[in-house]
Amino acid sequence: MHRLDGKVALITGAGGGVGRAAALLFAQEGARIAMTDIAEDNLNETARQLEDVSSEVLSIMGDIVDTATIDRLASSAVERWGGIDVLANIAAIQIGASYDAYTKEDFDALMAVNCRAPFQAIQRVVPEMKRSGGGSIVNVSSIGALAGYAHGAAYCASKAALVGLTRSIAFDVAEDVRCNAICPGAIDTPMARQLLTSFPEEEREAAWATFTARQLMKRFASPSEIAAVIAFLGSDESSFMTGAIVPVEAGWTAW
Ligand SMILES: NC(=O)c1ccc[n+]([C@@H]2O[C@H](COP(=O)([O-])OP(=O)(O)OC[C@H]3O[C@@H](n4cnc5c(N)ncnc54)[C@H](O)[C@@H]3O)[C@@H](O)[C@H]2O)c1
């Protein structure tokens, strides 16, 4: 008996650090996995790692900004398993820049991937969840929605928008579907390292140290520590939680 036995979970960003950890944990907990990512090789690697855990896996490469990607994923999952129970909106991009170096294109891309695409996925998936008796949406936001940091203006704005989206969606779907968000602190994945490259080389060590110091354990999270909270919110263990914004940031906001 596992926490997610028989549940059908749509996972975006499954080729990335947190998305892969979530796909593996969800599968270990008994879920059927429908996953997507724009990075084909990384998505295939996740599929390969899942082979040892489950045969109930669907994998579709695509850009989540294009509604056709989630549509294909959702339709395939419903066709194969009859419904959808969990949507984990994990895919995102990070573009780090000083406020005066961000371009309009950067800003629009961040909003499109980090906020509009999760919104579009929710619009597509909620009717399926209602048909199968309910469900749970987990949006992965960021500490950047709760606290600012250098070179994060547009990224943090997109993640704060996702928090606003989460709270309001929770109202609209409350009878059947729960909708929560998590706000992770710094996680040891390619995304965190990418942010550092926006700083001049001589400032990178200090920037890394600043992020580390904000977290009371004085270390970055592992992807599996974040996946554990996504699985909790996706499962019935969190059945009285909706509209919640859950910090998973080792005390970053306790200062
Ligand atoms: N790494 C951190 O320090 C950190 C901190 C707070 C929040 N987060 C959030 O955690 C989540 C997971 O990030 P991660 O650290 O695993 O990063 P990651 O870069 O390892 O993973 C993100 C994944 O999303 C995919 N992706 C990007 N754009 C896409 C698109 N248009 N269509 C489909 N897939 C797309 C990427 O290919 C990648 O596999 C993200 O929502 C991120 O914003 C990360």
Side-chain angles (χ1 to χ4, degrees):
M1 185 71 182
H2 298 94
R3 279 190 295 176
L4 295 164
D5 270 338
K7 291 204 187 287
V8 177
L10 255 65
I11 299 178
T12 73
V18 174
R20 177 175 296 157
L24 289 165
L25 181 58
F26 271 67
Q28 282 157 3
E29 293 283 359
R32 295 141 165 181
I33 311 295
M35 59 183 189
T36 188
D37 201 290
I38 201 168
E40 189 166 21
D41 289 350
N42 293 342
L43 185 64
N44 289 342
E45 174 55 24
T46 302
R48 199 196 58 71
Q49 292 187 23
L50 279 166
E51 278 169 14
D52 299 333
V53 187
S54 169
S55 55
E56 303 270 55
V57 177
L58 242 164
S59 177
I60 292 178
M61 194 273 289
D63 180 349
I64 52 160
V65 173
D66 179 358
T67 52
T69 301
I70 293 294
D71 189 41
R72 277 173 59 217
L73 196 65
S75 300
S76 306
V78 170
E79 194 179 310
R80 179 154 165 195
W81 296 307
I84 297 170
D85 304 294
V86 180
L87 169 64
N89 277 314
I90 302 176
I93 53 169
Q94 164 70 278
I95 303 172
S98 174
Y99 79 97
D100 51 354
Y102 268 121
T103 65
K104 176 181 173 296
E105 287 72 26
D106 293 336
F107 193 94
D108 289 350
L110 282 159
M111 291 304 291
V113 180
N114 297 358
C115 188
R116 199 177 77 220
F119 177 59
Q120 291 168 171
I122 290 166
Q123 285 187 316
R124 174 64 183 85
V125 166
V126 165
E128 304 293 356
M129 288 178 163
K130 289 185 171 186
R131 265 191 284 279
S132 48
S136 173
I137 300 162
V138 187
N139 293 324
V140 177
S141 177
S142 168
I143 182 64
L146 308 177
Y149 54 77
H151 289 203
Y155 173 82
C156 294
S158 72
K159 290 297 190 174
L162 186 58
V163 162
L165 181 81
T166 301
R167 289 198 174 111
S168 290
I169 295 283
F171 279 79
D172 288 353
V173 301
E175 277 183 29
D176 315 276
V177 177
R178 298 182 298 110
C179 182
N180 296 291
I182 66 166
C183 293
I187 314 162
D188 191 7
T189 68
M191 183 176 285
R193 286 185 283 276
Q194 194 181 16
L195 173 63
L196 288 179
T197 63
S198 72
F199 292 88
E201 200 153 350
E202 64 278 10
E203 292 175 22
R204 285 180 198 165
E205 204 175 310
W208 187 273
T210 303
F211 290 133
T212 307
R214 293 296 309 203
Q215 316 199 101
L216 299 184
M217 282 91 162
K218 306 297 180 217
R219 64 171 177 82
F220 279 31
S222 71
S224 59
E225 289 176 302
I226 306 303
V229 186
I230 300 171
F232 166 69
L233 289 172
S235 79
D236 296 339
E237 287 183 342
S238 56
S239 56
F240 201 55
M241 290 181 74
T242 196
I245 309 304
V246 182
V248 192
E249 32 67 300
W252 188 309
T253 53
W255 289 71

